[in-house]
Amino acid sequence: EAGVTQFPSHSVIEKGQTVTLRCDPISGHDNLYWYRRVMGKEIKFLLHFVKESKQDESGMPNNRFLAERTGGTYSTLKVQPAELEDSGVYFCASSQEGGYGTEAFFGQGTRLTVV
Amino acid sequence: GQNIDQPTEMTATEGAIVQINCTYQTSGFNGLFWYQQHAGEAPTFLSYNVLDGLEEKGRFSSFLSRSKGYSYLLLKELQMKDSASYLCAVRDYDNTDKLIFGTGTRLQVFP
């Protein structure tokens, strides 16, 4: 069974440019999460999809970030325009429908560097 | 506020036992997770505790005390491959089951 895959693994862009990150969750997982880790800090929640619906987007930093999950399968996270402070590792995770001990499976992340 | 504390770094010797502590203060609690993360790789699930007590899984065990807001991860018979970051995360169930992470503990195992 394929795990959570993220693309690209690395991205270097200039300030003001646009970048789109993609996440393919484990097949059949309704829950999809985006997290971010900036250097030296903890991994922080960005948002949560249940199928194609945004369940919680309280962690999104500002309106330069747009997440979509059309059709309830893969998800994209667009940053437009990118700023220096957006640099970090963006993780995607997916899980089955909630229940006792339901674990989230993580992708290996996209390392975004804004210069 | 939400706060999860764990030591930044720890070192240990191959074959030894190490305990990584985690204390938390969160508005909600629906379980505590431990993840292992090797550099450049995805965090991988190690353990889950929602009730007080010890959960054992092979060389790894995890303990939870909800009244004290405290957990630890115990690693026995350390191997070199156990060198990694260990992430403590609390699932905060308000209207979503998002994870709140600590900064992680980087463990180095020496021969």
Side-chain angles (χ1 to χ4, degrees), chain A residues 31 33 35 37 40-45 48 55-56 58 91 95-96 98-109 111, chain B residues 30 33 35 37 40-45 48-51 55 57 85 87 91 94-104:
Chain A
N31 293 296
Y33 309 83
Y35 290 86
R37 185 173 200 163
K41 302 284 188 180
E42 69 274 21
I43 296 174
K44 281 196 170 178
F45 169 82
H48 172 205
Q55 180 77 10
D56 181 355
S58 61
F91 291 100
S95 69
Q96 293 179 323
Y100 181 86
T102 303
E103 68 188 86
F105 294 84
F106 282 78
Q108 66 182 57
R111 181 175 294 277
Chain B
N30 194 28
F33 293 79
Y35 281 84
Q37 186 182 21
E41 297 183 9
T44 54
F45 170 80
Y48 170 76
N49 295 72
V50 69
L51 300 175
E55 294 282 341
K57 192 188 278 189
S85 286
L87 308 173
R91 186 159 66 191
D94 40 24
N95 66 337
T96 183
D97 50 357
K98 62 178 179 271
L99 294 175
I100 302 165
F101 282 89
T103 53

Side-chain angles (χ1 to χ4, degrees), chain A residues 24-110:
Chain A
D24 286 76
I26 293 173
S27 177
H29 281 192
D30 289 340
N31 293 296
L32 187 149
Y33 309 83
W34 284 99
Y35 290 86
R36 176 174 74 170
R37 185 173 200 163
V38 297
M39 193 185 306
K41 302 284 188 180
E42 69 274 21
I43 296 174
K44 281 196 170 178
F45 169 82
L46 296 178
L47 90 159
H48 172 205
F49 284 100
V50 178
K51 296 183 180 178
E52 67 275 11
S53 299
K54 290 177 185 174
Q55 180 77 10
D56 181 355
E57 52 185 330
S58 61
M60 295 287 263
N62 50 61
N63 60 10
R64 295 186 293 103
F65 289 74
L66 176 64
E68 294 180 324
R69 192 183 183 195
T70 307
T73 54
Y74 71 91
S75 175
T76 58
L77 180 64
K78 181 191 289 188
V79 185
Q80 179 182 31
E83 299 290 343
L84 299 179
E85 64 264 25
D86 300 333
S87 297
V89 182
Y90 289 76
F91 291 100
C92 175
S94 73
S95 69
Q96 293 179 323
E97 189 176 352
Y100 181 86
T102 303
E103 68 188 86
F105 294 84
F106 282 78
Q108 66 182 57
T110 294

Side-chain angles (χ1 to χ4, degrees), chain B residues 49-106:
Chain B
N49 295 72
V50 69
L51 300 175
D52 291 351
L54 188 69
E55 294 282 341
E56 296 187 80
K57 192 188 278 189
R59 294 189 299 117
F60 294 179
S61 304
S62 58
F63 172 83
L64 175 67
S65 169
R66 289 171 296 170
S67 62
K68 295 181 179 177
Y70 167 69
S71 173
Y72 67 73
L73 179 69
L74 193 71
L75 293 78
K76 303 175 186 175
E77 301 168 17
L78 280 173
Q79 302 175 8
M80 297 296 290
K81 67 178 181 179
D82 297 330
S83 293
S85 286
Y86 291 85
L87 308 173
C88 174
V90 170
R91 186 159 66 191
D92 179 12
Y93 199 85
D94 40 24
N95 66 337
T96 183
D97 50 357
K98 62 178 179 271
L99 294 175
I100 302 165
F101 282 89
T103 53
T105 298
R106 189 162 58 208

